Amino acid sequence: MTLSAVLFDVDGTLADTERDGHRTAFNQAFHELHLDWEWDVDLYGTLLQITGGKERIRFYIENYAPSFLNKHNLDEWIAQIHKVKTEHFLNLLKEGKIPLRPGVERLLGELRRNNIKIAIATTTTHENVSTLLQCTLGENALEWFDVIGAGDIVAKKKPAPDIYQWVLNQLKLPAEACIAVEDSENGLKSAVAAGIRTIITISEYTRGQDFSDATLILEDLEGIAYVQSSTAELSKEPLSVQTLARLMN
Ligand code: XBP
Ligand code: MG
């Protein structure tokens, strides 16, 4: 089948957003709200098993700060903390602190020139995605994307397949006509459960995770070091539209 669309994850895939982005913003929010919580780099790695910021805060309370479980209107309070966190994250993006990963802009350009649709399937909030894209690719960047599936638009976040299924529905494409690009085991599970072939670009926090269901594993989109491929003989150059087409066979 010919390749009709590439579906990109955002956090860890388009940009290294976690350690010095989301984590920093969570800590800034805790500080602003006078909570003595501090998510250090190691603890954040553990918390990343829970996708979604609000879900991650709840998991933290349940496991590390259970006295807050008695808080009145806990869900609303968590949503409030998350709102403050999002403001801090958006500021980091606007300050230019979070660049795209190597090869992302090049591949997006190639896909556009070859009339292959581009979509986003992410756990993070829509505002975070649109601001990241506009701050890194320019004011009109949202026009490059046919569908943006983000955040609470589906009930169950990754590793559930819901967000990928939602994006496929919007694109009106079968899973077999698409490729997903992800960086994490949770993301891979989500895309594969939706029936989509998936390329992994490993990120700092996801190195060592189980990527055995991936079609291709790369260090990043610019690197030629194919760590693993289920299809033989790939070209020894950065991931191109031609290589993507070969993965469809
Ligand atoms: C990304 C996430 C996100 C971010 C925080 O997972 O888990 O929750 O860490 O974003 P994936 P929000 O890359 O698999 O989509 O705080 O906006 O939820
Ligand atoms: Mg990710």
Side-chain angles (χ1 to χ4, degrees), residues 120-131:
I120 295 287
T122 180
T123 300
T124 202
T125 41
H126 196 288
E127 210 180 355
N128 289 351
V129 184
S130 48
T131 306

Side-chain angles (χ1 to χ4, degrees), residues 33 67 78 91 114 129 173 180 200 205:
L33 297 169
S67 61
I78 290 174
N91 285 338
N114 285 274
V129 184
L173 286 172
I200 291 289
Y205 273 123

Side-chain angles (χ1 to χ4, degrees), residues 9 11 18 22 51-53 56 82 85 123-125 128 158:
D9 168 50
D11 295 301
E18 295 293 4
H22 290 296
T51 57
R56 191 167 298 142
H82 188 249
K85 174 261 168 178
T123 300
T124 202
T125 41
N128 289 351
K158 300 174 188 176

Side-chain angles (χ1 to χ4, degrees), residues 9-13 18 158 182-184 187 203 206:
D9 168 50
V10 174
D11 295 301
T13 300
E18 295 293 4
K158 300 174 188 176
E182 273 286 353
D183 73 304
S184 71
S203 64
T206 66

Side-chain angles (χ1 to χ4, degrees), residues 9 17 26 47 50 59 64 113 116 121 137 145 152 157-158 167 172 175 179-180 187 192 201 208 220 229:
D9 168 50
T17 51
F26 279 113
L47 298 176
I50 306 300
F59 177 86
Y64 298 85
R113 284 193 294 282
I116 295 168
L137 295 169
F145 296 83
D152 296 330
K157 293 185 175 165
K158 300 174 188 176
V167 172
K172 299 188 176 53
I179 289 178
V192 168
T201 49
D220 59 49
S229 165

Side-chain angles (χ1 to χ4, degrees), residues 37 54 66 70 75 83 87-88 111 116 121 163 168 177 187 239:
W37 303 348
K54 291 191 286 285
N70 301 322
D75 282 344
K83 198 162 161 261
E87 285 164 19
H88 284 290
L111 293 169
I116 295 168
I163 191 68
L168 289 174
L239 192 70

Side-chain angles (χ1 to χ4, degrees), residues 35-85:
L35 289 162
D36 67 346
W37 303 348
E38 173 77 28
W39 290 0
D40 66 28
V41 172
D42 279 354
L43 172 61
Y44 195 67
T46 306
L47 298 176
L48 274 175
Q49 66 184 287
I50 306 300
T51 57
K54 291 191 286 285
E55 293 79 356
R56 191 167 298 142
I57 294 169
R58 174 174 276 281
F59 177 86
Y60 175 77
I61 292 171
E62 285 168 355
N63 291 280
Y64 298 85
S67 61
F68 289 90
L69 283 172
N70 301 322
K71 190 113 185 144
H72 188 58
N73 289 338
L74 183 61
D75 282 344
E76 277 171 37
W77 184 61
I78 290 174
Q80 183 55 35
I81 300 172
H82 188 249
K83 198 162 161 261
V84 176
K85 174 261 168 178

